[in-house]
Every structure is written in structure tokens, then in C-alpha cells.
Amino acid sequence: MHQFPDRFVATWYRVPHYYYGGSNTIQAVLFRDGRIQVGYNGISSTQSGTLVGIAPGNGAAGRQVNFNVDSPLTISGTQGVYEWFGTFDLDVQFLIFSPTGPGGYNVSVKPLQGAAAN
């Protein structure tokens, strides 16, 4: 276990899909400055109807996007953003949410080697 003063890291390493099995590795990093980074590396359950995104809560409306096509994009603090995948296409990439002010985020997709945290 590693402790970091500026971030919380949770890793799901080679976790099988509840129905399809396989091996899925996902890492979520919550930074003290408000950034959120989700990395996907080795997703074998690509046909299972995956939902990925972020929402401010309180029943906020969500904006459906294709992260690989629509990013970079900006969302307000009153809006959620998500992608519903028929076929998951974020493997070997980071999905990064960077705060813009009162609850909003800039959203980008980066290859794993291009988004290492400082």
C-alpha cells in the first residue's frame, strides 16, 4: 500500500466481470486539487454495456457524449456527463476531469503514457 499526500488512489486489478468473467483493470485517482483521473488498462469485458461518467448529484441532468470523439469538452457544475458503451473503447487510456471553477470540469482523454500524474 502506498500513501500520497496529494491524492487518493483506488485500483481494481484484474477484476472479473460479474457475468462475462475476463480480467478488467481500472484505476481511479482523486487529487487534492479536484482533478479526477480514471485509467483503463486491460478491459476484457468490452461488450457488456458499460456506463462511464461523472455527475454532481441531486438528480442533475446528464449529457450523453462519446468521450473519444467529443473531448476535450467542458461541463458545468450543474450538469453530469456520461458515455454508454455498446463496445468499450477507452482501454489503455485515461479519462481526466479537471476542475474549472464552481463545480465544472474540463474533460479529456489521454493515452496511458501521456497522462502520468505529477
Side-chain angles (χ1 to χ4, degrees), residues 14-86:
R14 295 186 177 173
V15 176
H17 185 273
Y18 72 95
Y19 184 78
Y20 296 104
S23 176
N24 303 284
T25 297
I26 302 167
Q27 184 175 77
V29 183
L30 308 177
F31 291 90
R32 186 178 303 275
D33 66 6
R35 283 177 296 142
I36 301 169
Q37 177 177 285
V38 183
Y40 305 93
N41 190 14
I43 304 297
S44 63
S45 300
T46 61
Q47 304 290 327
S48 62
T50 302
L51 179 70
V52 172
I54 190 171
N58 298 324
R63 175 177 161 194
Q64 186 170 2
V65 299
N66 180 328
F67 288 118
N68 273 321
V69 173
D70 299 329
S71 77
L73 61 107
T74 300
I75 56 171
S76 73
T78 61
Q79 182 181 47
V81 64
Y82 70 94
E83 182 171 356
W84 174 259
F85 296 90

